[in-house]
Amino acid sequence: ADLKPYSFVLNNVRPLKPDLALCTFLEPPRRASFWALLSGADVRVGYGNRDETLWLIECLTVNRDEHEVERNLQAMRALGYEAETPDMAIETDPADDRWAAGFIESNKLSSPIVGMHPGGNPGKRQRRKRWPVERFIDAVKRLTQGGKGVVVFEGPDDVDEVAVIRDEVGESAVIAGGLNLGRVASLLKQ
């Protein structure tokens, strides 16, 4: 096993004598609680049940349906801070909303509409986490056979993946490429 991360924590974090180790990520809880223990922090808070998080002082209940912001605020509340949940709605521009409605109408998309983005973070480490293009193709075929409209979002780093999808599914999916964030948000809102 690679011991570099452990020695880094022991040699660089532990000497700082942190007061708090806050584990806000969900998986795997046992490893997260162990990292917290190695830090030397007196207060160690994180998610999971007592069996999974042996080295935490306080275990928070995980609700996987909650947004990550809400889970982080729950952690802050457990530490005694007052934290109100912010309004996380995204306001869209009416001009972008009109454009999105026109896009849906001109492409004859019927409800329900499913949007998918085969790209994501193009970083070398993140590429391996992407869902294989073949699965997107299969998903498009199944969804359109089930009567759903499908929009495939294309960003500058996933042109090749979207081209493969387009070649395989033809016009059964609508490609939405070159959009600014406002138009993407308005399409998602629809």
Side-chain angles (χ1 to χ4, degrees), residues 51-101:
D51 295 337
E52 298 175 315
T53 55
L54 305 171
W55 300 288
L56 294 181
I57 303 300
E58 174 136 9
C59 299
L60 304 173
T61 304
V62 177
N63 179 350
R64 293 182 184 276
D65 293 331
E66 283 183 327
H67 190 279
E68 187 173 352
V69 169
E70 187 56 45
R71 287 195 305 265
N72 289 337
L73 290 172
Q74 177 191 6
M76 297 305 294
R77 290 182 197 111
L79 295 168
Y81 293 94
E82 289 186 29
E84 289 184 33
T85 303
D87 180 12
M88 293 186 286
I90 297 174
E91 296 296 323
T92 55
D93 185 281
D96 289 331
D97 292 343
R98 287 189 297 278
W99 174 87

Side-chain angles (χ1 to χ4, degrees), residues 78-142:
L79 295 168
Y81 293 94
E82 289 186 29
E84 289 184 33
T85 303
D87 180 12
M88 293 186 286
I90 297 174
E91 296 296 323
T92 55
D93 185 281
D96 289 331
D97 292 343
R98 287 189 297 278
W99 174 87
F103 178 90
I104 289 169
E105 185 179 328
S106 67
N107 286 289
K108 298 176 178 57
L109 291 164
S110 59
S111 192
I113 301 168
V114 177
M116 58 178 64
H117 180 223
N121 188 336
K124 196 185 299 183
R125 291 183 60 177
Q126 300 302 320
R127 274 196 170 296
R128 64 182 167 77
K129 293 184 176 183
R130 286 185 180 182
W131 214 32
V133 174
E134 297 76 27
R135 290 193 183 164
F136 280 101
I137 292 166
D138 183 53
V140 169
K141 289 178 180 177
R142 289 175 184 227

Side-chain angles (χ1 to χ4, degrees), residues 14-44:
R14 195 175 184 102
L16 297 173
K17 298 182 179 165
D19 297 320
L20 167 70
L22 180 59
C23 307
T24 59
F25 45 91
L26 300 179
E27 304 289 345
R30 186 166 288 144
R31 186 176 348 165
S33 70
F34 183 65
W35 283 108
L37 178 69
L38 286 181
S39 76
D42 291 330
V43 178
R44 299 180 301 276

